[in-house]
Amino acid sequence: QVQLVESGGASVQTGGSLRLSCAASGAWYSRRFIAWFRQAAGKEREGVAAIQTTTGLTYYADSVKGRFTVSQDNAGNTLYLQMNSLKPEDTGMYYCAAASSTSLTLYLAKASYNSWGQGTQVTVSS
């Protein structure tokens, strides 16, 4: 089973930047896709960004495209989410998730992922 641990969450002002990290353990075939999700108070958990670990292909929600960048280290053990030009609506708990499927149709859907981290809080104030 894949183990995921997020870090890097903080409170920042509008327009600021943060970089979240997700340390992942497990074989590569157990985490073909790794993604970032977020959940604001009273809202459903939504997909933010995903990466196919074997190819480096990335996928982004329209709300963060152009502002957020997902990447992984050379060893494939750490997932990053660089967040720039942060807005109050970016506030929420951010989770990383992993999927073992060799292919996904819905890259940013909760049901596509079966391993989850504990989350890290991001707060953006105006």
Side-chain angles (χ1 to χ4, degrees):
Q1 186 175 347
V2 176
Q3 301 294 316
L4 305 170
V5 180
E6 304 96 330
S7 62
S11 181
V12 298
Q13 294 289 317
T14 296
S17 297
L18 284 174
R19 185 176 69 178
L20 305 183
S21 299
C22 175
S25 62
W28 66 269
Y29 51 81
S30 295
R31 43 186 173 86
R32 296 291 182 87
F33 292 83
I34 309 180
W36 287 98
F37 288 76
R38 67 186 180 190
Q39 186 168 22
K43 303 286 187 178
E44 285 290 309
R45 191 171 299 185
E46 62 177 351
V48 174
I51 185 168
Q52 184 178 5
T53 59
T54 56
T55 65
L57 291 173
T58 57
Y59 311 87
Y60 297 94
D62 289 341
S63 60
V64 306
K65 195 172 299 181
R67 299 189 297 121
F68 291 9
T69 302
V70 63
S71 62
Q72 61 183 345
D73 64 6
N74 292 333
N77 293 323
T78 304
L79 181 75
Y80 301 99
L81 183 66
Q82 179 66 47
M83 305 186 294
N84 299 324
S85 301
L86 284 163
K87 306 173 181 179
E89 50 262 44
D90 294 319
T91 293
M93 284 290 292
Y94 282 70
Y95 302 86
C96 58
S100 59
S101 177
T102 56
S103 64
L104 295 176
T105 300
L106 303 175
Y107 304 104
L108 301 177
K110 291 185 296 183
S112 295
Y113 296 85
N114 49 32
S115 296
W116 296 83
Q118 82 290 344
T120 185
Q121 178 68 36
V122 171
T123 301
V124 184
S125 60
S126 60

